[in-house]
Amino acid sequence: MTTYVLLANWTDQGLRNVRESPKRLDTAKAALKEMGGEFQAIYMTMGEYDLIAVYEAPDDAVAARFMLLLGGFGNVRTKTLKAFPERAYREIIGSLG
């Protein structure tokens, strides 16, 4: 599984209906699970982003499909970062010679 970091901001629609956000999160969790992925951590944050999540997906195509699904609901705008675990980081840096 590949790890991704999701950075999200509520849209005007998402903020107008913020009380429904926990239910929308449950829907997102179920959709990701159906695609073979899983959330590892979810945070509501103060600052540049409203929500930050760490999740795993089988591959980049699943992650892209999941982000398109979330965006299509119209409640959040997202940015996705692909995350490399420490072992992969060490291998990548080590391969530089």
Side-chain angles (χ1 to χ4, degrees):
M1 292 274 239
T2 303
T3 302
Y4 301 89
V5 177
L6 174 135
L7 308 172
N9 283 311
W10 283 306
T11 61
D12 289 343
Q13 171 184 304
L15 199 51
R16 273 193 308 276
N17 301 306
V18 75
R19 287 178 182 82
E20 298 298 318
S21 183
K23 188 189 315 183
R24 295 192 305 254
L25 176 58
D26 292 341
T27 299
K29 284 181 170 183
L32 181 58
K33 189 168 189 93
E34 189 174 304
M35 293 179 190
E38 185 174 19
F39 281 99
Q40 301 301 306
I42 299 164
Y43 303 95
M44 185 177 80
T45 56
M46 296 170 33
E48 187 174 349
Y49 297 98
D50 298 317
L51 301 164
I52 296 176
V54 178
Y55 71 96
E56 291 184 339
D59 55 40
D60 291 347
V62 170
R65 193 169 73 218
F66 180 62
M67 290 299 96
L68 290 169
L69 177 74
L70 285 184
F73 292 147
N75 296 299
V76 291
R77 285 188 193 87
T78 64
K79 293 182 181 179
T80 303
L81 307 171
K82 185 172 182 175
F84 295 88
E86 183 180 351
R87 190 182 93 251
Y89 149 77
R90 290 182 181 278
E91 288 174 9
I92 292 165
I93 300 301
S95 72
L96 297 175

